[in-house]
Structure formats: C-alpha cells, structure tokens
Amino acid sequence: MKSILALTTLAIWVASTNAQAAVYQQCGGIGWTGAATCVSGSTCTKLNDYYSQCLPGTQGATSSSLPPSSSSSRSTSASSSSSSSLQSTSPTSPPSSTSSAPSSSGTCAPNAPPASAGQLRFAGINIAGFDFGCNSDGDCTASAAWPPLTKYYGMDGAGQMQHFVKDDGFNVFRLPVGWQFLLNDTEGGPVNDANLQKYDDLVQACLSTGASCIIDLHNYARWGGKIIGQGGPPDDELAATWSTIAAKYASNDKIIFGVMNEPHDIPDIVRWAQSVQAAVTAIREAGATSQLILLPGNNWTSAETFVSNGSADALNKVTNPDGSITGLVFDVHKYLDTDNSGTAAECVRNNIDIAWAPLAQWLRCHGRQAFNTETGGGNTASCATYLCQQIAYQKANSDVFLGYVGWAAGNFATGYVLGETPTQNSDGSWTDTSLVQACLAPSSQS
Ligand SMILES: *[C@@H]1O[C@H](CO)[C@@H](O)[C@H](O)[C@H]1NC(C)=O
Ligand SMILES: *[C@@H]1O[C@H](CO)[C@@H](O)[C@H](O)[C@H]1NC(C)=O
Ligand SMILES: *[C@@H]1O[C@H](CO)[C@@H](O)[C@H](O)[C@H]1NC(C)=O
C-alpha cells in the first residue's frame, strides 16, 4: 500500500442512470441502485448476493450462441486511457461471440470469459511486519523490521495464518519484507544469513499451513530514494538478491516470487522491464524453474493504469530464459477509496468499469493473467458492498485473474484502518474483522 497520497479527482462511483445496463455492467446486488435490466442480448445473472452482472446471452443460452452486442466495437485502449469520468458511462468489456482463445492474428479481439470461470485459484491475506520501517522511497532500516511471530515479540502471524486457512478457506499469504532487512542495510551486499533465517521462520509458518506463500520485496523499486536500474542499485544487485532467495526455495512449488512491491514514478517503463527481466532470469537460473513470478508495473502497480500507462506492453516482453512466459503473471493492486491510496475507511467504487473490465479484456486478448496481491478497505458497510462486488467480478473472470490478497494482517494492530488482523479469544478461537467476514474469506462467498 502506498503511503503518499496521489492527488486524484474525487470521483464518486455513480450508479448508471441508463435504463438498461450494458454487457458486463452490474445490474443488481445488495446496495446497488442502478439499472436492473440488461441491454438486449445479455441477461442479468446473479454471481452472489452483492453482485449481479449482465452476461452475454439470453436466459439459458451460452455466450457462444449470440451475436456481439452493439457496443462490441469499442476498443480496450480507448476505454482504459481516458479519465476517471468514464466510469459511470462506459461499457468497458464488450463481448465477442466467436472467440474464447487469445487472438493470434495480431488484432486484439475482445473475448468473453469462458463459462468455466467462477473459481479463483488464490485467496489470501498479507501478513505484514518484516516490511515495517519501509517507506515509499525504498528507505527501509533493518532494525525497524518487526517479525510478525511471537518468538520475535510480534503478533502471532503463524496462528493467524493457521486460522485463516482452517476457518476461512484462504490458501495464499503474502509476506512483505524490506530489502534492507535481507541485506542488513548494506546496499549491494550479500543476503545476510541470520536475517534470511528469521524471515524464513515466517515463510515456514506459512508453508506449514499448506498455503502458497508470496515472497514480496517491499521496496517500491528503490533503495534509499534511488530507482533500480535508473540511478539507483544496478539490475545486478536486484538479480543477486533474488538469486539467493530463489536458490533457497527452488524445490518448493508453493513459493511465489513477488519481484517488487509497488514501483511508482518510474521515468522509463521499458527500462524498468529490463530490471524485472534481470530478476526473472536470476530466479529461473537459480533453479526455481516452475514457480509463479509476479511482474510489477508502474504507478503503484495500479490495476487501473496497468494498460494505459504502458506497463502492460513493457512487461509483456519479459520472458523466461527459454523464451516462454510460463509462470509469469502480472502483479496488480487496487484500493477502493476515493484516491486509490488504501488509507480511507470508506470505499466509493468497485473498480470494475475503470480497472478490472478493461484489464480483463487486455489480458484475455494477450493470453496473460494477473494477480491482485493488494486490495482492501475499512471495516465499513461501504467497503463490504464494493469489495464483495470487486471479488465477484474477479471470480467471474477467473480465466485471467488468479486471485486476490487482502491488506493486511500480521503485526497491524486491530485499530489500523485497513486492519485484517483477527482477534484471538480466550478459548483460542479467532474472530475476524468484519470485512474479512463479509467479503475476503472464501467461506463467506456463495
Ligand atoms: C546487522 O548490522 C548491524 C550494524 O552493522 C550489526 O550490529 C548486526 O550484528 C548485523 N546483524 C547481523 C544478523 O549480521
Ligand atoms: C495512477 O493510478 C491512479 C488510479 O489508480 C490514477 O488516478 C492516476 O492518474 C495514475 N497516475 C498515473 C501517472 O498514471
Ligand atoms: C506513465 O505515467 C507517467 C507519469 O505521469 C508519464 O510520465 C508517462 O509518460 C506515462 N507513460 C505512458 C506510456 O503513458
């Protein structure tokens, strides 16, 4: 999550005033006050209590049996590159009646999600603590890292994860860590064995639950304010750190490598893709040949501007050493508050029209996938409504979205505005925060 507020238009989600919702727009759900009927050729389909959506097809028909709707000529780039004012009016994910596979012709034909979509591969929570002391300039100090484990006088991150898996059905955790902690504050130095061992205690606690575990280098593409490969640490230093980590976990297929948390204000995105490429090559050459690697774009890995700001095209060129893209997944974040900063208790949008629909279309057209590794909101009614809608949309498009990870539990006190830290009761059981109960926990979803 970013700690500097981006100044953006205060764009309140406005329910569509159209009499009929367009294909892929919302048409019902708790709290929904917009159009309740769909344009001709599509049917309002309930995905869960919080979200119904216009899907191509009439009642009982499949999406492959109908002609495209009149909106289907709108291009992805046109809908995702304009300002946020489009969110209340623009259908951003027009369907195609003919194709369900990525286009190989060079043109990017919009595709509908396959009928099989509906189950996300991953649902999880961030377990924060080893990243404490990092700011968005990539200034971290090793001594400020606070392991979220009781043996290091932190919260019981191990117990939290066991609870999240056993009681809620989560199956992934993201474990942020500052680069400075791993290198014990020595830029360009080797990974510090003792510090890596401490971090590994958290990784092992995660693995012991049976969940997948994302290793997240939480440095905003920087060390001490300077950008990797663009005035800051050379790509080799990033690659060397990843090589050490990847060698340690090379044989564990539950490990996911998160190359970098939230790059922002990167002047040259094509150059940044080279830094990411260096990390990917290092991970694969260290023997971690098959695990997922998450590739982060510019602007705080914003899902909304991933395509329009050039991150998609630049990172689409990153490959494994053999030239394939197997296991290379785009990392995207999105918050639901007024300025997408993840700092406000109230949520104002579900991000579908402005971010998820155009991104889904781009991914489908290019045969790629993304993982939403940070999202969340306050423990408020507005966030319950909008986050449930966002997750329902991701589930409906699970061919291109791998899943979501809520921000955050671990060492966050229960009073933290985006806190997802459960409370342990005297009998040893746990009580979740209201947003985890309402939306994030897979067990809460229909
Ligand atoms: C990390 O660096 C500090 C300061 O140089 C030093 O006191 C400490 O012993 C180092 N920690 C480890 C685990 O090497
Ligand atoms: C970054 O993304 C936010 C929304 O996520 C958007 O409002 C802002 O304009 C973007 N900034 C840039 C530079 O693309
Ligand atoms: C992405 O946003 C940055 C910051 O506003 C801008 O300088 C850059 O030109 C944008 N890149 C593209 C490809 O839109």
Side-chain angles (χ1 to χ4, degrees), residues 11-32:
I12 306 293
W13 173 269
V14 181
S16 170
T17 51
N18 295 341
Q20 292 187 311
V23 179
Y24 295 110
Q25 285 197 326
Q26 184 169 5
C27 54
I30 294 170
W32 177 249

Side-chain angles (χ1 to χ4, degrees), residues 34-381:
T37 56
C38 299
V39 293
S40 158
S42 65
T43 305
C44 190
T45 308
K46 178 178 171 178
L47 300 174
N48 66 19
D49 288 346
Y50 291 90
Y51 194 72
S52 298
Q53 191 188 22
C54 297
L55 293 177
T58 48
Q59 216 94 45
T62 65
S63 60
S64 60
S65 63
L66 283 154
S69 83
S70 59
S71 65
S72 66
S73 60
R74 187 185 298 269
S75 79
T76 312
S77 56
S79 57
S80 58
S81 62
S82 51
S83 78
S84 58
S85 65
L86 64 76
Q87 62 185 340
S88 64
T89 54
S90 169
T92 45
S93 186
S96 158
S97 64
T98 51
S99 156
S100 61
S103 162
S104 57
S105 65
T107 59
C108 192
N111 301 323
S116 59
Q119 285 300 321
L120 291 169
R121 184 168 161 195
F122 296 112
I125 302 280
N126 279 272
I127 306 296
F130 275 103
D131 57 313
F132 281 19
C134 289
N135 68 21
S136 57
D137 280 335
D139 280 320
C140 315
T141 40
S143 60
W146 184 21
L149 293 167
T150 53
K151 75 184 270 198
Y152 301 117
Y153 312 103
M155 308 268 261
D156 186 7
Q160 292 174 20
M161 289 188 282
Q162 287 161 22
H163 152 69
F164 282 138
V165 169
K166 187 163 56 77
D167 301 328
D168 294 334
F170 288 106
N171 66 355
V172 67
F173 299 101
R174 183 167 175 261
L175 313 174
V177 62
W179 198 3
Q180 281 84 345
F181 178 78
L182 293 175
L183 270 52
N184 201 33
D185 287 332
T186 308
E187 189 192 332
V191 171
N192 181 289
D193 285 340
N195 286 1
L196 181 57
Q197 273 317 114
K198 278 192 184 173
Y199 180 67
D200 183 59
D201 285 342
L202 183 66
V203 175
Q204 295 305 326
C206 173
L207 290 170
S208 72
T209 68
S212 293
C213 309
I214 303 170
I215 296 177
D216 159 43
L217 199 56
H218 211 76
N219 271 66
Y220 303 88
R222 288 161 171 80
W223 181 297
K226 298 211 176 83
I227 298 171
I228 296 165
Q230 303 186 44
D235 293 351
D236 285 357
E237 291 180 11
L238 179 68
T241 295
W242 273 117
S243 181
T244 302
I245 296 170
K248 184 174 180 68
Y249 300 110
S251 61
N252 196 315
D253 64 4
K254 295 282 189 180
I255 295 288
I256 299 171
F257 302 101
V259 167
M260 182 56 64
N261 178 68
E262 296 192 347
H264 64 90
D265 301 289
I266 304 292
D268 186 342
I269 188 65
V270 173
R271 180 65 189 80
W272 170 246
Q274 290 174 25
S275 302
V276 174
Q277 178 68 70
V280 168
T281 301
I283 290 167
R284 294 300 189 219
E285 290 184 345
T289 53
S290 62
Q291 290 98 330
L292 295 179
I293 304 179
L294 307 180
L295 314 181
N298 207 350
N299 196 18
W300 317 88
T301 51
S302 167
E304 181 179 338
T305 58
F306 183 74
V307 175
S308 63
N309 197 227
S311 296
D313 283 341
L315 293 174
N316 199 24
K317 298 188 171 72
V318 174
T319 65
N320 295 310
D322 67 1
S324 73
I325 54 164
T326 310
L328 305 184
V329 169
F330 301 122
D331 198 355
V332 291
H333 292 180
K334 199 81 186 85
Y335 287 94
L336 302 86
D337 48 357
T338 53
D339 60 1
N340 185 48
S341 64
T343 54
E346 298 294 338
C347 295
V348 298
R349 60 171 71 87
N350 59 24
N351 296 316
I352 294 168
D353 279 11
I354 59 169
W356 300 112
L359 179 58
Q361 187 180 334
W362 187 94
L363 293 167
R364 209 167 273 128
C365 288
H366 291 82
R368 302 301 302 254
Q369 293 179 312
F371 194 168
N372 178 201
T373 64
E374 276 191 32
T375 192
N379 288 295
T380 56

Side-chain angles (χ1 to χ4, degrees), residues 428-443:
S429 66
W430 297 81
T431 301
D432 281 314
T433 56
S434 68
L435 194 62
V436 171
Q437 287 182 34
C439 299
L440 287 160
S443 60

Side-chain angles (χ1 to χ4, degrees), residues 406-430:
W407 182 270
N411 268 344
F412 280 112
T414 44
Y416 169 53
V417 64
L418 264 63
E420 293 167 0
T421 304
T423 310
Q424 191 162 26
N425 306 307
S426 52
D427 66 357
S429 66
W430 297 81

